[in-house]
Amino acid sequence: MTMNHPYDDFPHLLFSNNTATATSTSSCVEQHDGISLDMDWDCDFHNLIESMMSDKGATTESPPLLPCYHGQEGIFNSSSTGSSMADELDHDVEAGESKGLRLVHLLVAAADASIGADKTRELTRVLLAKLKDMTSPNDRTNMERLAAHFTNGLSKLHKEANVQRQYGPHQHPDHVYDQVDVMLAFQMLQNMSPYINFGYLTATQAILEAVKYERRIHIVDYDITDGVQWPSLMQALVSRNTGPSAQHLRITALSRATNGKKSVAAVQEAGRRLTAFAESIGQPFSYHHCRMDSDTFNPSSLKLVRGEAVVINCMLHLPRFGHQPPNSIISFLSEAKTLNPKLVTLVHEEVGLMGNQGFLYRFMDLLHQFSAIFDSLEAGPARGFVERVIFGPWVSGWLTRIAITDDGAEVESVASWPLWLATNGFKPVEVSFANRCQAKLLLSLFNDGYGVEELGKNGLVLGWKSRRLVSASFWASCESSE
Amino acid sequence: MFHAKKPSSMNGSYENRAMCVQGDSGLVLTTDPKPRLRWTVELHERFVDAVAQLGGPDKATPKTIMRVMGVKGLTLYHLKSHLQKFRLGKQPHKEYGDHSTKEGSRASAMDIQRNVASSSGMMSRNMNEMQMEVQRRLHEQLEVQRHLQMRIEAQGKYMQSILERACQTLAGENMAAASGGAFKGNLGSSSLSAAVGPHPLSFPPFQDLNIYGNTTDQVLDHHNFHHQNIDQNHYTTNNAADTNIYLGKKRPNPSFGNDVRKELLMWSNQDHEPIDDEHRIQIQMATHVSTDLDSLSEIYDRKPGLSGDEGNNCGKLLERSSPRRSPLSPMMNPNGGLIQGRNSPFE
């Protein structure tokens, strides 16, 4: 059966007029062997492709905004890169098909085909094979390497679809990296980008301010990972309290059933490390581990002490390799409200949660997000390692997640976390001048191109060029006293 | 602006307009006919701390502040006016009608005049407030910078310790499995930080490290925290220099046939996954100091403190300065399975 590859015609379709008009692309919406690309190939997607086609050096031009970001431009507009979207449109696009453009085409095509009906399975396989052929995690340009990871992720999805789709939460990545590898890569990532530490340090600053006059502090941490967030808090407490005014710190870390006993052990290990650190600097500290046996969080399983200020810490932006159902987060936040927390810190990626936008849209958003992150990382010999160990599985995890929710097996019920909090009994807590200052200072340590923007009165957003990457916001339960 | 500055000494070094003497109590008083108190940065910091301890400028009273500060010679009068100014600084939109005695206000205005470099005449109250606000903000920014440094440092130390722990465990596992002394040497505690730990002043960006050759002409500037230099991104520090050195090292490790940097280059170019244990350990080892290998022809620069010696560049590879340890000392024993083999917190 001869496969009709509609996507091979794309270059001509898109650039036949050599303008940015959208009309020339609307002919894409055709039926080919039951495949329909029912997409709105509007102006902005065109720009996206164009921006991705430039293979100049190791970085791509700043990707233009996807439609949904128009309203949130703030400081993140393309003029910060020195070129406007109009300039990009004027590029001579007929200078051959660049590989980057082809890759984006193929990726989007493969993504679309992968969620199609049965007939598209063969198409998917062919497209993915082609992509695999064209890319490798060691390629020269960011786009090529990123495409390799996306190809990999899509392949896994495809494979699973062919076998029997598991709606289980746990994915088995192709290559299980050792814990040390992951830890090493994680730390290297912190040196290459402020992505992780922006969340940690901003949240920590807000916590310090909120609990300034409290004698006892109790932090309930949804996802403690290695506990890397907390030493800086401990240090700050020690340095500002002397003698009898020492504040006691307690951390309860959650482990979720969906992640199995590995995560239990990891949480416990984090506790040991934090306890040792606290002792070494003389910070009164105690640690507890709370297991979430299902997706529901039960606050009564926490040990509470009278007179302590409760802080809820929710770091959702960290690289996750498995699938995290949003329900457990929802349950956690809802139930935690009953604890009357003095502060809720929420840090999350600016991707993925779009409500019901459809797989393809979210796929492109994901591509956009990771392109920005890839571009923003500092170059260096460690980079390939970090990309392989962290980004590969991270991309795969995300792809699985958006595929599952697209299936309808799971409803992505949260369009935006801040919105959810605002409408579920939480009130905003203002970001301080010191916090904004600290964020800017942090960014100054890295590549030019990062920016921090205010998110209402109670949040900060870290972005790379025109793309928002991760945002931190602060809340308190409506009943808590100020 | 981002350099950590020590608070200026009590002798008012940052401003030497008026003549000042330091009394027995440690307070700085001016020498004009009616001695006035000079609110130095240090004194002000103590004031701010005291106010914070008492629950904020609205809750604190001059009396309690005086008690908490415990500074001899400080009178209620001083504190009253300073507290008032402080409150004003915090709430620039406050109504003027709330102020206390006119005398107090006038005294405040004159205090500010003395404290400010301008020699113009009487300033309006608005200007005073703005001055206070600006000073407060500057002060706060300095604080933020200082705090950030310490926090980053704390985090770095912690990360170093957990990585060390993980490596030890892993190495211990490999000791059992590996055939014969491939991995000699202790993991120097300062060494891991080279790979990943952020230096107090910065996170060393790897891009600045030229690991594939000597960079005798590359000057690595430690204290380059300058805002102005963002285009170059030379936030390299001792740490970075060390990393550079470590990565470029020639390891006499028997398993390495070649230069470790070639090994790294090869490794990073291969499209193989997963990395087998031995290679990975060695890669990691390559980022550590191993200070007890006799056959080392090049020795690492001992990681200096912030002693400000400029140009700590890779050309100094040949300096022998690291402490000697007993050669062939066994690997640190894994700490009884603290970290079970394959737990990944990222699952």
Side-chain angles (χ1 to χ4, degrees):
Chain A
M1 154 182 162
T2 53
M3 287 302 302
N4 192 352
H5 294 252
Y7 302 99
D8 278 340
D9 300 321
F10 272 173
H12 307 296
L13 289 170
L14 279 174
F15 306 121
S16 53
N17 295 345
N18 197 24
T19 63
T21 57
T23 50
S24 62
T25 65
S26 57
S27 52
C28 296
V29 186
E30 292 166 2
Q31 294 283 335
H32 290 273
D33 289 73
I35 305 154
S36 71
L37 185 58
D38 195 14
M39 263 195 67
D40 190 16
W41 291 73
D42 66 0
C43 204
D44 294 293
F45 177 62
H46 177 79
N47 297 342
L48 172 66
I49 290 191
E50 282 204 59
S51 74
M52 284 179 169
M53 73 180 271
S54 80
D55 277 357
K56 302 186 187 68
T59 59
T60 61
E61 296 297 327
S62 104
L65 300 170
L66 281 183
C68 69
Y69 289 105
H70 280 318
Q72 301 169 351
E73 257 184 310
I75 66 168
F76 299 137
N77 48 47
S78 48
S79 61
S80 67
T81 67
S83 70
S84 66
M85 281 210 259
D87 290 342
E88 285 160 351
L89 295 176
D90 289 337
H91 282 171
D92 187 358
V93 298
E94 276 174 339
E97 289 174 38
S98 85
K99 189 173 180 189
L101 179 61
R102 285 283 295 168
L103 289 174
V104 172
H105 279 170
L106 291 167
L107 279 173
V108 174
D112 187 47
S114 70
I115 55 161
D118 285 337
K119 281 196 235 176
T120 64
R121 219 153 262 163
E122 181 58 25
L123 172 63
T124 313
R125 192 189 64 74
V126 170
L127 286 168
L128 288 174
K130 176 125 182 139
L131 277 163
K132 263 198 193 118
D133 200 43
M134 292 171 72
T135 63
S136 129
N138 299 318
D139 279 341
R140 192 180 48 89
T141 66
N142 284 359
M143 191 59 223
E144 286 168 320
R145 292 195 310 276
L146 185 63
H149 293 300
F150 268 83
T151 304
N152 209 18
L154 282 174
S155 301
K156 274 207 298 242
L157 278 184
H158 181 65
K159 230 184 301 177
E160 282 165 11
N162 281 340
V163 180
Q164 188 177 9
R165 181 86 68 130
Q166 277 231 301
Y167 297 123
H170 193 63
Q171 311 306 319
H172 297 279
D174 287 347
H175 315 289
V176 180
Y177 287 102
D178 195 277
Q179 187 210 17
V180 178
D181 275 344
V182 174
M183 218 187 261
L184 193 60
F186 183 57
Q187 293 188 20
M188 285 174 171
L189 180 59
Q190 292 185 57
N191 283 348
M192 297 163 79
S193 159
Y195 178 88
I196 290 173
N197 276 313
F198 171 79
Y200 282 163
L201 290 170
T202 309
T204 297
Q205 176 66 24
I207 295 174
L208 281 166
E209 288 161 8
V211 300
K212 197 161 185 185
Y213 306 117
E214 304 285 341
R215 297 223 37 106
R216 302 189 66 89
I217 307 161
H218 183 191
I219 300 179
V220 183
D221 195 351
Y222 180 74
D223 180 8
I224 199 166
T225 314
D226 286 330
V228 174
Q229 179 178 2
W230 304 119
S232 62
L233 177 80
M234 292 183 193
Q235 185 280 327
L237 289 175
V238 161
S239 77
R240 80 175 181 192
N241 298 325
T242 45
S245 62
Q247 297 174 279
H248 183 93
L249 175 68
R250 209 148 73 77
I251 295 181
T252 299
L254 264 53
S255 65
R256 286 160 303 285
T258 50
N259 297 337
K261 56 179 164 58
K262 282 189 210 172
S263 78
V264 169
V267 165
Q268 288 171 341
E269 174 63 17
R272 281 186 285 265
R273 296 270 61 78
L274 286 171
T275 305
F277 184 83
E279 203 175 300
S280 75
I281 62 170
Q283 167 63 35
F285 176 70
S286 60
Y287 184 87
H288 308 272
H289 164 216
C290 174
R291 301 167 93 111
M292 264 174 86
D293 282 323
S294 61
D295 268 355
T296 49
F297 170 64
N298 191 355
S300 60
S301 53
L302 288 183
K303 176 182 157 202
L304 298 170
V305 170
R306 220 159 47 126
E308 67 184 7
V310 175
V311 171
I312 306 292
N313 190 68
C314 218
M315 298 286 122
L316 304 178
H317 67 305
L318 300 165
R320 292 262 114 211
F321 301 162
H323 173 52
Q324 290 279 303
N327 295 328
S328 70
I329 307 173
I330 292 172
S331 162
F332 174 66
L333 290 171
S334 315
E335 297 298 324
K337 206 173 29 160
T338 63
L339 301 168
N340 269 338
K342 191 100 195 276
L343 183 72
V344 177
T345 61
L346 179 79
V347 177
H348 66 281
E349 303 157 289
E350 286 281 331
V351 71
L353 297 176
M354 298 281 180
N356 300 317
Q357 289 278 5
F359 176 77
L360 204 54
Y361 187 92
R362 299 179 69 191
F363 177 82
M364 286 177 49
D365 187 43
L366 203 66
L367 193 57
H368 200 175
Q369 167 87 347
F370 276 96
S371 303
I373 297 181
F374 251 50
D375 284 349
S376 72
L377 293 181
E378 310 238 339
R383 188 167 165 156
F385 177 65
V386 172
E387 285 179 10
R388 256 191 296 269
V389 176
I390 301 266
F391 281 90
W394 197 4
V395 164
S396 297
W398 259 115
L399 286 172
T400 310
R401 178 175 175 178
I402 63 178
I404 285 182
T405 51
D406 184 69
D407 258 347
E410 230 180 69
V411 178
E412 192 84 65
S413 45
V414 180
S416 133
W417 288 115
L419 186 62
W420 187 90
L421 285 167
T423 52
N424 278 277
F426 291 90
K427 62 183 182 202
V429 169
E430 212 171 296
V431 176
S432 71
F433 171 72
N435 215 339
R436 286 197 297 275
C437 230
Q438 178 182 255
K440 292 196 180 127
L441 206 51
L442 177 67
L443 299 192
S444 70
L445 300 175
F446 294 92
N447 271 339
D448 235 352
Y450 283 109
V452 82
E453 192 183 280
E454 296 188 19
L455 187 69
K457 282 234 170 291
N458 70 328
L460 294 173
V461 187
L462 169 73
W464 169 261
K465 305 252 171 106
S466 61
R467 172 83 194 186
R468 292 182 162 187
L469 295 181
V470 57
S471 63
S473 57
F474 310 114
W475 311 82
S477 71
C478 286
E479 289 82 30
S480 77
S481 56
E482 274 303 321
Chain B
M1 179 187 152
F2 292 99
H3 278 292
K5 287 202 184 97
K6 284 176 149 174
S8 54
S9 71
M10 286 291 257
N11 286 327
S13 58
Y14 69 103
E15 239 190 44
N16 38 25
R17 297 262 170 171
M19 288 286 289
C20 302
V21 291
Q22 191 168 3
D24 289 336
S25 56
L27 288 178
V28 181
L29 303 165
T30 56
T31 56
D32 51 41
K34 187 172 180 190
R36 296 200 175 273
L37 173 66
R38 164 70 58 85
W39 277 93
T40 62
V41 173
E42 201 171 301
L43 191 61
H44 181 72
E45 266 183 15
R46 286 178 72 166
F47 172 82
V48 171
D49 281 340
V51 165
Q53 279 186 46
L54 293 165
D58 293 320
K59 294 196 190 129
T61 67
K63 202 167 186 179
T64 55
I65 296 175
M66 184 170 83
R67 222 175 350 180
V68 169
M69 280 179 77
V71 175
K72 266 180 156 186
L74 205 53
T75 67
L76 281 178
Y77 175 75
H78 292 137
L79 286 168
K80 209 161 73 148
S81 66
H82 197 73
L83 180 62
Q84 184 183 327
K85 276 185 283 176
F86 189 70
R87 282 178 182 160
L88 280 179
K90 281 199 174 292
Q91 296 150 41
H93 303 299
K94 207 171 171 200
E95 286 302 315
Y96 295 156
D98 289 350
H99 294 169
S100 54
T101 70
K102 246 207 279 186
E103 186 194 9
S105 310
R106 221 182 323 130
S108 317
M110 292 182 67
D111 273 344
I112 291 175
Q113 273 188 83
R114 288 182 192 285
N115 281 337
V116 169
S118 161
S119 57
S120 58
M122 289 288 280
M123 279 190 266
S124 71
R125 190 165 278 160
N126 274 335
M127 285 299 289
N128 292 343
E129 285 168 12
M130 268 169 55
Q131 291 276 355
M132 285 296 292
E133 179 68 15
V134 165
Q135 278 185 13
R136 203 177 60 79
R137 295 256 147 159
L138 282 175
H139 180 78
E140 211 172 333
Q141 277 183 339
L142 284 174
E143 294 259 305
V144 167
Q145 184 210 332
R146 198 158 51 91
H147 293 158
L148 184 61
Q149 264 172 246
M150 293 195 289
R151 288 172 201 180
I152 289 174
E153 193 175 335
Q155 186 173 321
K157 282 195 194 128
Y158 177 79
M159 293 202 297
Q160 193 174 300
S161 79
I162 60 176
L163 196 61
E164 260 179 23
R165 180 72 66 185
C167 282
Q168 283 168 23
T169 311
L170 197 63
E173 287 173 6
N174 280 300
M175 276 285 279
S179 53
F183 316 114
K184 304 186 177 70
N186 289 323
L187 299 173
S189 63
S190 65
S191 56
L192 277 167
S193 63
V196 297
H199 186 275
L201 277 178
S202 73
F203 305 109
F206 284 95
Q207 71 187 19
D208 284 331
L209 310 176
N210 181 355
I211 70 160
Y212 300 124
N214 258 337
T215 55
T216 46
D217 49 358
Q218 178 180 339
V219 177
L220 303 173
D221 188 350
H222 307 187
H223 296 281
N224 206 341
F225 206 83
H226 291 304
H227 200 48
Q228 299 86 337
N229 273 357
I230 48 180
D231 56 331
Q232 262 309 340
N233 251 352
H234 271 293
Y235 297 122
T236 51
T237 63
N238 311 318
N239 230 349
D242 287 346
T243 313
N244 196 343
I245 292 166
Y246 303 154
L247 289 178
K249 270 294 129 255
K250 194 185 214 53
R251 312 290 302 210
N253 192 310
S255 312
F256 270 114
N258 318 316
D259 220 60
V260 77
R261 62 184 176 220
K262 284 201 203 129
E263 190 73 30
L264 264 177
L265 182 55
M266 274 163 35
W267 169 68
S268 67
N269 280 341
Q270 281 168 30
D271 189 11
H272 72 276
E273 326 198 347
I275 308 157
D276 61 87
D277 281 344
E278 195 176 281
H279 264 126
R280 199 245 347 273
I281 287 281
Q282 288 167 354
I283 303 301
Q284 287 168 358
M285 287 290 286
T287 66
H288 308 156
V289 168
S290 177
T291 58
D292 54 3
L293 297 169
D294 274 356
S295 45
L296 272 178
S297 54
E298 292 146 22
I299 301 297
Y300 315 106
D301 232 0
R302 183 180 52 83
K303 172 177 147 181
L306 294 175
S307 52
D309 67 303
E310 300 286 300
N312 176 26
N313 68 48
C314 328
K316 288 191 193 163
L317 294 179
L318 301 177
E319 269 177 55
R320 179 179 277 269
S321 55
S322 37
R324 305 270 298 159
R325 298 191 200 162
S326 60
L328 302 182
S329 57
M331 289 292 284
M332 291 190 196
N333 290 322
N335 199 335
L338 252 183
I339 297 177
Q340 286 79 34
R342 295 187 167 259
N343 297 319
S344 169
F346 289 98
E347 287 307 314

